[in-house]
């Protein structure tokens, strides 16, 4: 499917290096993207509701990585998915008496508008689960043929991945098994399901059910894809056997990124699937993670309709560190609006010699696991170098 429209990103003077990024697997920061090309796969939306500030914060985080890699002279290959078929989409469509395809298309269109307004550089490939079904089904058949997957014998046609087939399973999240079991139940898995070899085995292919959409799976029979194999397949098809960054919010550390990595590694034999597993913190409202299922959402489109400048939203979200779970409050927005106004007022001044020194300092901070709070402190209204810094931050004055 089509992504959104991009914009020119100016080249800045001087030299930069690729950022050090915290990797969930290593549990430490490490240099990213060692050679000329940098590859990134970011887990995008399940389009059953509008883009909220949590999605925006996560997309801004990976946009920053994209900008820093470009600033370091790397060619960036960036892929993002849309989970345009999954249980939550069908459930919401059913609740509202709406066609799931129409719902998904409408919310995806709104997401594109929001991304453009927030000045997120578009991915080269923006890919839906539905359009990837033939490739996904092919991978599921390969996993079955390799003995890394099995079909439940309860007549449903459901196919599961055997986590025992992935020798390093658990390396990405570093979680104890009990916690994996709890998270799996909370995040779309089914550890209690009878007939599985291991409670942690994730679904690869859901056999067709009455009233649910289904696609031809060849010898799998009709059905629809599981969630983790969707992302593994899209990334492998467009970026190769291994990637530099696998990204998303920290709600995806387990089971999603653990299982996608396990699928990819068993399919290709190359490990680790991602050089860095990078996770953005959860944006909350009044003490709770902002989520479509909880309904405690602040929508980007609502703020835009209310006349809020998307650059103030971007600055507000950048004022906290990307890895920190943090709250969105009226004060965060107000501070973003005030900072934007100060920067705009200062932008009229010419860039003097001090500008290059500031740019080097900003690069160093952002290169240190995206330390945006430090940068926002320095890029003060009075320093003309802030005009270069804002390019790196993706702010348009
Ligand atoms: N389609 C899947 C990923 S393959 C999905 O998680 N969709 S989502 O719509 O729930 O989330 C889209 C992206 O936003 C994911 O990277 C997710 O981790 C991130 N995200 C969701 N809620 C929040 C939040 N409250 N704060 C920060 N990021 C969030
Ligand atoms: Zn994903």
């Amino acid at each position: 499917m089509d992504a959104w429209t991009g914009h020119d990103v100016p080249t800045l003077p001087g030299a930069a290096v690729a950022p050090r990024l915290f990797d969930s697997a290593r549990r430490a920061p490490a240099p990213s993207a060692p050679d000329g090309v940098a590859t990134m796969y970011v887990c995008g939306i399940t389009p059953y509701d509008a883009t909220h500030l949590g999605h925006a914060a996560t997309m801004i985080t990976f946009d920053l990585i994209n900008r820093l890699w470009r600033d370091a002279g790397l060619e960036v290959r960036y892929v993002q998915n849309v989970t345009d078929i999954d249980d939550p989409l069908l459930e919401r469509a059913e609740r509202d008496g709406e066609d799931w395809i129409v719902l998904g298309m409408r919310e995806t269109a709104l997401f594109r508008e929001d991304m453009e307004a927030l000045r997120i550089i578009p991915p080269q490939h923006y890919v839906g689960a539905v359009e990837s079904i033939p490739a996904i089904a092919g991978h599921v058949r390969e996993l079955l043929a390799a003995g890394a997957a099995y079909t439940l014998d309860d007549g449903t046609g459901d196919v599961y991945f055997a986590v025992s087939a992935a020798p390093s399973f658990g390396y990405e999240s570093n979680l104890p098994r009990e916690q994996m079991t709890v998270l799996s139940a909370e995040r779309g898995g089914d550890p209690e399901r009878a007939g599985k070899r291991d409670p942690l085995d994730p679904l690869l292919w859901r056999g067709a059910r009455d009233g649910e959409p289904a696609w031809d799976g060849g010898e799998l029979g009709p059905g629809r894809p599981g969630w983790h194999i969707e992302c593994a397949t899209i990334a492998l098809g467009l970026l190769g056997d291994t990637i530099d960054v696998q990204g998303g919010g920290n709600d995806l550390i387990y089971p999603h990124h653990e299982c996608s990595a396990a699928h990819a590694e068993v399919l290709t034999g190359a490990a680790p699937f991602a050089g860095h597993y990078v996770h953005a913190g959860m944006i909350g409202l009044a003490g709770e993670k902002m989520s479509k299922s909880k309904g405690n959402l602040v929508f980007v489109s609502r703020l835009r309709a209310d006349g809020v400048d998307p650059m103030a939203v971007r600055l507000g979200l950048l004022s906290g560190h990307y890895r920190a779970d943090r709250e969105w409050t009226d004060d965060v927005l107000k501070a973003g609006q005030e900072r934007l106004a100060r920067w705009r007022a200062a932008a009229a001044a010419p860039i003097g010699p001090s500008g290059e020194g500031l740019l080097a300092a900003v690069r160093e901070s952002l290169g240190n696991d995206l330390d945006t709070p430090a940068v926002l402190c320095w890029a003060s209204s009075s320093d003309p170098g802030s005009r270069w810094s804002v390019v790196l931050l993706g702010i348009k004055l």
Side-chain angles (χ1 to χ4, degrees), residues 131-147:
E131 61 186 310
S132 309
I133 288 176
I136 296 171
H139 275 160
V140 177
R141 291 192 298 266
E142 263 182 61
L143 290 168
L144 273 169

Side-chain angles (χ1 to χ4, degrees), residues 50-359:
T51 319
H52 60 62
L53 287 173
H55 304 136
T58 291
M59 297 309 156
I60 289 169
T61 296
F62 294 96
D63 189 57
L64 203 50
I65 294 173
N66 192 344
R67 285 169 191 273
L68 295 177
W69 276 344
R70 286 160 183 254
D71 187 45
L74 299 173
E75 177 194 334
V76 181
R77 296 189 192 146
Y78 175 22
V79 175
Q80 188 179 134
N81 74 310
V82 189
T83 306
D84 56 359
I85 180 67
D86 205 1
D87 296 346
L89 192 65
L90 296 177
E91 284 158 16
R92 177 61 61 92
E94 167 87 25
R95 188 197 79 177
D96 296 350
E98 192 174 16
D99 183 307
W100 64 273
I101 298 178
V102 174
L103 171 64
M105 284 173 68
R106 186 181 63 239
E107 299 306 348
T108 306
L110 192 56
F111 177 76
R112 286 192 189 92
E113 279 177 30
D114 290 336
M115 292 300 101
E116 215 170 301
L118 290 167
R119 290 173 66 77
I120 307 291
I121 299 173
Q124 283 91 355
H125 300 278
Y126 191 51
V127 187
V130 170
E131 61 186 310
S132 309
I133 288 176
I136 296 171
H139 275 160
V140 177
R141 291 192 298 266
E142 263 182 61
L143 290 168
L144 273 169
Y150 55 96
T151 307
L152 282 202
D153 63 4
D154 59 3
T156 56
D158 292 354
V159 181
Y160 281 84
F161 177 77
V163 294
S164 59
S168 314
F169 191 81
Y171 81 90
E172 182 268 343
S173 59
N174 294 294
L175 293 172
R177 216 185 137 80
E178 311 77 70
Q179 213 174 328
M180 288 184 185
T181 311
V182 171
L183 289 175
S184 164
E186 284 174 7
R187 297 172 177 170
D190 53 6
E192 305 283 328
R193 179 147 185 204
K196 286 180 17 171
R197 292 184 192 161
D198 184 317
L200 297 180
D201 289 350
L203 183 73
L204 287 168
W205 186 256
R206 176 172 160 91
R209 306 290 202 276
D210 281 350
E212 286 186 12
W215 289 262
D216 179 18
E219 68 210 44
L220 303 174
R224 59 182 167 98
W227 175 28
H228 320 305
I229 190 68
E230 165 195 341
C231 286
T233 296
I234 297 172
L236 291 176
L238 290 162
L239 295 172
D241 289 358
T242 60
I243 58 178
D244 290 306
V245 163
Q246 160 73 299
N250 65 19
D251 57 335
L252 302 184
I253 294 176
Y254 193 87
H256 187 50
H257 287 171
E258 189 77 65
C259 293
S260 306
H263 296 340
E265 288 164 13
V266 171
L267 281 163
T268 67
F273 168 56
H276 282 67
Y277 297 89
V278 178
H279 293 110
M282 288 294 110
I283 301 297
L285 187 69
E288 289 239 57
K289 168 191 162 182
M290 216 178 263
S291 82
K292 287 174 278 206
S293 48
K294 291 206 181 83
N296 60 336
L297 306 174
V298 178
F299 295 122
V300 177
S301 45
R302 178 75 253 161
L303 291 175
R304 289 200 288 125
D306 289 346
V308 174
D309 191 315
M311 292 300 96
V313 174
R314 187 161 174 133
L315 274 176
L317 289 170
L318 288 170
S319 66
H321 190 261
Y322 82 96
R323 280 201 289 125
D325 290 342
R326 55 204 196 277
E327 293 277 302
W328 177 262
T329 62
D330 290 345
D331 285 347
V332 172
L333 176 59
K334 197 157 158 266
Q337 287 169 318
E338 286 169 4
R339 180 169 275 125
L340 184 66
R342 281 201 308 276
W343 285 12
R344 284 196 169 140
I351 294 176
S354 70
E356 292 208 28
L358 181 73
L359 178 59

